[in-house]
Amino acid sequence: MTGRAGEVFETGRAVSDVEALLVAPVPTAGPTAGGTDVEGDPATGEWTATSGEGFRIVPLWESEDLVGVYGPEWNEAEEAAEEQLARLVAELDRRWGAHRRVSMRVPLFRKQAGAPMPALFQALCDADCYGDLTVWGPLSATSRWIAVSVNQSDGDAPMIMTAVVSDRPITELDDQPST
């Protein structure tokens, strides 16, 4: 699924990846009005990044495939992914202060209804990244926002930890889209 398949999770590497994302350029415009650019590994085609106007999303880690994993083993895999995210969040909290939670509930429902939403949330939904976002920002050195999350797109898919950088606020969406 991602270019991170098969890698062992290491908190230090994930922190370095997030810090690199924070200072890397983000597109000033999308490929099309509100569009995104999905990048893949040239050899495997696996997802490596999604970019759009003012943001970039990258995978930080991908678990083993969960095909045929059920019950306690599946719960253990989910708990392990959540613990890895918690370690990353704790380190980023230490560096940047307390985080905020941004739910992906509204974007999920908007996607199901075909309702409009900001390009960043649309890109997260298009990549099946429905995990609630842990957000810091704006970070004083860059005025950028950073978010991390972990989720699984369906019962057999691997867990995927992602990071987002945005030059715009990452805030909770209203239940009703603006008209």
Side-chain angles (χ1 to χ4, degrees):
M1 289 192 63
T2 77
R4 287 317 216 353
E7 291 182 10
V8 174
F9 179 80
E10 296 176 6
T11 305
R13 182 198 44 81
V15 168
S16 293
D17 289 349
V18 170
E19 288 179 333
L21 187 62
L22 181 62
V23 297
V26 295
T28 57
T32 60
T36 58
D37 182 23
V38 178
E39 301 168 29
D41 181 285
T44 66
E46 300 289 356
W47 176 57
T48 58
T50 299
S51 300
E53 186 173 324
F55 67 88
R56 187 160 172 80
I57 306 165
V58 299
L60 295 175
W61 168 81
E62 179 180 330
S63 76
E64 295 293 323
D65 197 4
L66 297 176
V67 173
V69 177
Y70 304 102
E73 290 176 355
W74 190 93
N75 291 339
E76 288 172 13
E78 182 180 39
E79 288 169 9
E82 291 290 342
E83 288 171 10
Q84 292 167 343
L85 179 65
R87 287 195 309 270
L88 176 59
V89 167
E91 180 58 28
L92 297 176
D93 276 349
R94 189 184 68 72
R95 293 166 188 250
W96 298 327
H99 64 274
R100 289 182 307 284
R101 202 77 157 157
V102 172
S103 173
M104 286 295 291
R105 178 186 60 82
V106 171
L108 172 61
F109 289 137
R110 285 197 193 175
K111 170 119 178 162
Q112 291 171 341
M117 66 182 111
L120 170 60
F121 287 98
Q122 184 67 54
L124 286 165
C125 290
D126 290 348
D128 292 330
C129 295
Y130 295 110
D132 288 344
L133 301 172
T134 304
V135 178
W136 296 265
L139 298 175
S140 59
T142 64
S143 298
R144 289 186 172 183
W145 297 67
I146 286 283
V148 294
S149 70
V150 70
N151 76 292
Q152 180 187 37
S153 61
D154 69 40
D156 290 337
M159 302 285 177
I160 297 175
M161 187 180 304
T162 55
V164 175
V165 64
S166 177
D167 64 5
R168 292 149 200 185
I170 301 174
T171 57
E172 194 91 20
L173 294 184
D174 291 331
D175 282 338
Q176 298 297 317
S178 57
T179 54

